[in-house]
Structures are given as C-alpha cells and as structure tokens.
C-alpha cells in the first residue's frame, strides 16, 4: 500500500539503522559504549524526586492538569528568565509549558504553518526543527549554522528568491549537534533582519545552562524589540537531568504563544500535575543542581577530547551542550557518516550519531554525546584506536579504504 501523505514527506530515520545494530550487538553479548543518543545518564536531583513523591500522594493531583501549565510553574519560568537573562515575561500571556522543547516546536509548526510556507532552517540541526514543519506542510530552505559573517548573505538571498517569502527563521544556539554558541551581537543582527523582512524567529535554547568556557549563552529575547517577533523554547531535560519527565517551555511573543496554546489545548492536558509541581520546585531552587550537572559534563568533555585525540580521532572541545561534533578521520571520511557509525558499532563496540541524521551538510561528521562516565569514555577511545590501527588488515574484504565518493 502507498505510504500516507505526511509519512511520505519524512526522510528515513537514519538513527534507527545504528540503533538496530546496537541492539543486535548487545543481544550477542557485546558491551556497547553508547555515545549516540543524547539521553542524559545523570539522575534527577533528589530534591526534585522528593517533591514529586510528596505531591503524588495527594489524589487531587491525579486529575487532568492544565495544558498551558499550572500558574506556579509559569511564574517560576518567568522568574528564571528574569534572573538569568534580565527578560521580563508575563506568565499568563507569554509563557506556556510544553512536553519538552521537541513537542513545543512541533506544535508551533502546526499552529503557524500553511501548506507551502517556507521555513529557514539551519543545516545540520536537530531533526524536529525541520521535520516539525515538513509534517505541517511547510517547505524547508537550508541555511548556514555558524553564527558569523557568513550567516546573513544566504538569508538575504532566501528572502529575495523564495516564493512565498519565508515565514520563519529557526535558531539553535548552543547548537545541537555542532555546539556553536551565538553572541548577543549576533542576535541583534538576527532581530534586525527579522523585523526588516517581517519574519518570525523561533529559537531553541535547550542547552542554555550546559556551557563550559566564558560567559553563559545569551537569549535572543535579551535584544530590545525581540519580543515583537520571537518565541524561544527551553527544556528541563538536560538542565536538571529530567529527560523522561518531558517538561519544557515556550516563551515570548504573545500572539505566537496564544496560537501555540490554542493548538495544544486541543491535543493534550499538559504534563502530570506532580511533575509540574516538581519542575516548579526545580526552577525556584538555588542553581546548585545546575552547576553540578555542568561540572560533570565539563569533566567528561575534557576526558573525551584528550583520550580521543591520543587515539587519532580529533575531537574539537565544545564550548557548550552535552555533545562534541567531530569530523570523521580522513581515512574513513569517504564512507559517509552512516557507514562509519555502523563500523564503530561492529568493530569498536562504540555507538555514535551519524551526522547525516542532522542534515546533508553533516555527513562528514559524527556527534558524540557525553552520556557515559569518564572511565567508559576512555575505554571507547581505546576501542576506536585499536580499530583504526588495524583497519587496513581487518577490513580489506569489507570495503576499499582507498575508494572515493
């Protein structure tokens, strides 16, 4: 039977091929060191868990909750933005709770996109940034990722040559997967561009608190006038090691937040109330939990950069996020990221995320997640070093290492 229309618009989920190999290897007894999926391994802080356990004992919290988030939670998110970014938000009209930033992005796409609308999307980027709009009937025009002087000329060309004119521009800094970090000056130029061309800005700030060097990453909403054109998405998944809790936020322009809130009201009743109360408790905390998470990822980052470098696999140190974005070693680059990722599972017992899964401009790279402890990261480096040093002998019947694309 023919595929359904929306399913046909989605490219193959390349990560699934690596996932199947991981499962097969583990079924055969292999100890796979999984640096692929960005699934935090750190436990949720105990105080947050305790608050959940306390609130869940009250049967009144077992009823339907509020799709847009309970008032205390929205007030806590507004207070966080005031403390962290100096941005004032009205919790009633400029904040909505989402089931993670991923759901927020997807439902914002449903709320604002008409069939054929053009969306300016970075490439490579986190898949939902493009897929959410593809499922809503939009058209993706790929843009540069690096937040420097090369970013804006392609945007100007896109505005001149896209029919219809682009509806929205997607930002993601600190970036998943590239780990690029934007400056406030860059955001000022983005807001000026968006206002000049009447374009919506959708900013994914899921990694605002996972940074290692220098000043904390800014919010685009710190730019005067950004509220006129911008909605920003954040997540508690990485910040508080709460990935399975599914708690995030969209904040910003009242008209856009109202559209998202209305769509969500037809689709869900919000997160379980005890989860929302526990999330409120986390946001109102002193920040020590966030600092500890950041320190753990920094130590892992440093170990990965050092040990992988000694193994002959150069990993540039990311300034932020829980990921490293590394170019495939020259010897294997002709394979492409998917085949190289498969080889690492089969030959080195290490799983990584193929860059092609984040867009065609990522095919020379793999993404390495900092989701294993320091001992396991060093073991992964040893496994990879052994594989790469013996590849000429062990792979001659599998593939020609001198082949060209």
């Amino acid at each position: 039977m023919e595929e359904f229309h929306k399913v046909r618009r989605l490219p193959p989920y390349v990560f699934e091929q690596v996932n199947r190999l991981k499962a097969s290897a583990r079924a055969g007894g292999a100890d796979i060191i999984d640096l692929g999926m960005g699934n935090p391994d750190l436990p949720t802080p105990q105080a947050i868990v305790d608050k959940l356990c306390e609130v869940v004992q009250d049967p009144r919290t077992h009823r339907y909750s509020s799709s847009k988030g309970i008032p205390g939670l929205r007030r806590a998110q507004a207070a966080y933005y005031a403390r962290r970014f100096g941005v004032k938000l009205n919790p009633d009209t400029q904040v909505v709770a989402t089931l993670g930033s991923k759901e927020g992005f997807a439902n914002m796409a449903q709320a604002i996109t008409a069939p054929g609308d053009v969306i300016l999307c970075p490439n490579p980027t986190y898949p939902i940034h493009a897929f959410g709009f593809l499922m809503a009937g939009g058209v993706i025009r790929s843009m540069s990722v690096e937040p420097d002087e090369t970013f804006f000329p392609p945007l100007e060309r896109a505005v001149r040559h896209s029919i219809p004119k682009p509806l929205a521009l997607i930002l993601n800094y600190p970036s998943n997967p590239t780990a690029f970090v934007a400056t406030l000056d860059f955001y000022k130029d983005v807001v000026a561009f968006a206002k000049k061309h009447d374009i919506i800005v959708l900013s994914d700030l899921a990694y605002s608190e996972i940074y290692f060097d220098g000043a904390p990453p800014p919010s685009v909403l710190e730019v005067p006038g950004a509220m006129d054109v911008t909605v920003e998405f954040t997540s508690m998944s990485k910040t508080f090691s709460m990935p399975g809790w599914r708690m995030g936020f969209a904040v910003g322009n009242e008209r856009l937040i109202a559209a998202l809130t209305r769509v969500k009201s037809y689709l869900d009743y919000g997160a379980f109330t005890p989860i929302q109360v526990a999330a409120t408790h986390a946001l109102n905390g002193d920040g020590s939990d966030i600092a500890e998470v950041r320190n753990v990822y920094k130590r892992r980052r440093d170990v990965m950069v050092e040990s992988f470098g000694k193994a002959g696999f150069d990993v540039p140190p990311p300034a932020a996020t829980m990921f490293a974005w590394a170019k495939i070693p020259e010897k294997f680059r002709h394979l492409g990221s998917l085949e190289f990722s498969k080889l690492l599972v089969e030959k080195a017992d290490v799983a990584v995320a193929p860059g092609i899964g984040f867009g065609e401009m990522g095919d020379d790279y793999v993404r390495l997640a900092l989701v294993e402890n320091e001992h396991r990261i060093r073991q992964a480096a040893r496994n990879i070093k052994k594989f790469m040093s013996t590849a000429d002998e062990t792979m001659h019947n599998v593939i020609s290492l001198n082949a060209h694309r």
Side-chain angles (χ1 to χ4, degrees):
M1 294 178 64
E2 187 177 358
E3 287 280 13
F4 296 110
H5 170 69
K6 288 194 175 183
V7 176
R8 285 201 310 270
R9 289 178 60 81
L10 296 175
Y13 195 61
V14 298
F15 301 120
E16 185 55 34
Q17 297 186 45
V18 178
N19 291 339
R20 285 199 299 268
L21 276 179
K22 283 192 297 188
S24 176
R26 283 171 171 153
D31 177 21
I32 301 298
I33 301 172
D34 194 350
L35 308 176
M37 186 177 179
N39 193 4
D41 65 313
L42 302 176
T44 304
Q46 190 59 46
I48 302 173
V49 176
D50 289 344
K51 177 57 70 172
L52 172 73
C53 294
E54 172 194 331
V55 178
V56 80
Q57 300 301 320
D58 184 350
R60 292 175 299 177
T61 66
H62 301 176
R63 307 179 71 184
Y64 290 130
S65 193
S66 169
S67 176
K68 68 183 294 186
I70 60 175
L73 177 61
R74 287 183 279 113
R75 287 194 297 269
Q77 176 68 352
Y80 163 76
Y81 257 77
R83 292 192 309 271
R84 174 69 164 78
F85 304 112
V87 172
K88 184 177 180 180
L89 295 168
N90 183 331
D92 294 323
T93 61
Q94 294 178 313
V95 179
V96 60
T98 63
L99 304 178
S101 59
K102 187 174 184 179
E103 177 267 322
F105 243 95
N107 279 326
M108 179 61 81
Q110 294 292 331
I112 69 175
T113 309
D117 275 345
V118 176
I119 308 299
L120 304 175
C121 184
N123 188 339
T125 193
Y126 187 54
I128 196 62
H129 297 154
F131 295 173
F133 285 94
L134 287 172
M135 286 188 284
V139 176
I140 298 300
R141 179 155 182 159
S142 294
M143 307 306 300
S144 172
V145 176
E146 195 159 2
D148 59 13
E149 66 279 357
T150 67
F151 187 85
F152 291 97
L155 290 186
E156 295 288 354
R157 288 195 298 273
V159 171
R160 287 197 304 270
H161 299 297
S162 296
I163 300 176
K165 179 178 70 68
L167 171 72
L169 166 64
I170 296 171
L171 302 177
N172 176 212
Y173 303 106
S175 169
N176 176 10
T178 66
F180 288 136
V181 178
T183 65
L184 195 56
D185 284 340
F186 172 79
Y187 282 144
K188 289 176 181 176
D189 291 339
V190 167
V191 171
F193 170 85
K195 289 195 160 192
K196 175 183 175 182
H197 297 293
D198 191 26
I199 290 175
I200 296 165
V201 176
L202 301 176
S203 170
D204 186 346
L205 193 62
Y207 296 92
S208 61
E209 299 299 345
I210 311 299
Y211 59 90
F212 312 119
D213 308 308
S219 162
V220 65
L221 290 173
E222 293 179 51
V223 176
M227 201 73 71
D228 298 336
V229 293
T230 303
V231 165
E232 192 158 68
F233 298 84
T234 58
S235 170
M236 300 188 73
S237 295
K238 279 72 177 183
T239 304
F240 293 98
S241 299
M242 297 171 64
W245 299 57
R246 307 315 302 135
M247 181 54 61
F249 301 92
V251 306
N253 178 266
E254 290 189 3
R255 176 170 174 260
L256 293 170
I257 292 296
L260 172 60
T261 302
R262 184 170 182 184
V263 166
K264 280 178 56 62
S265 71
Y266 283 90
L267 299 176
D268 68 68
Y269 286 106
F272 188 35
T273 296
I275 289 178
Q276 296 195 47
V277 175
T280 303
H281 182 74
L283 287 168
N284 288 335
D286 62 7
S288 59
D289 293 331
I290 300 174
E292 177 55 29
V293 168
R294 188 184 302 128
N295 289 335
V296 169
Y297 285 132
K298 185 179 188 302
R299 290 194 296 270
R300 292 179 179 182
R301 178 201 69 163
D302 294 344
V303 166
M304 177 176 285
V305 170
E306 178 189 14
S307 61
F308 274 58
K310 289 180 179 178
F313 191 165
D314 183 43
V315 176
T321 77
M322 55 183 289
F323 306 112
W325 183 240
K327 206 158 197 176
I328 299 169
E330 180 65 35
K331 186 176 184 178
F332 303 93
R333 203 168 298 160
H334 67 281
L335 300 175
S337 59
L338 180 56
E339 292 306 315
F340 178 68
S341 299
K342 290 179 180 179
L343 277 178
L344 288 186
V345 174
E346 295 171 347
K347 305 292 186 180
D349 290 341
V350 175
V352 300
I356 189 68
F358 304 96
E360 68 272 17
M361 299 305 293
D363 200 22
D364 283 342
Y365 296 80
V366 292
R367 191 193 71 178
L368 308 164
L370 304 172
V371 293
E372 295 270 13
N373 64 41
E374 295 161 41
H375 169 74
R376 299 274 286 172
I377 290 171
R378 290 192 180 95
Q379 183 62 54
R382 290 193 291 268
N383 291 2
I384 290 173
K385 181 178 182 179
K386 181 179 179 181
F387 157 62
M388 292 199 300
S389 65
T390 61
D392 288 327
E393 292 76 30
T394 61
M395 294 178 56
H396 65 280
N397 288 328
V398 180
I399 196 162
S400 171
L401 295 179
N402 296 317
H404 296 284
R405 291 187 188 178

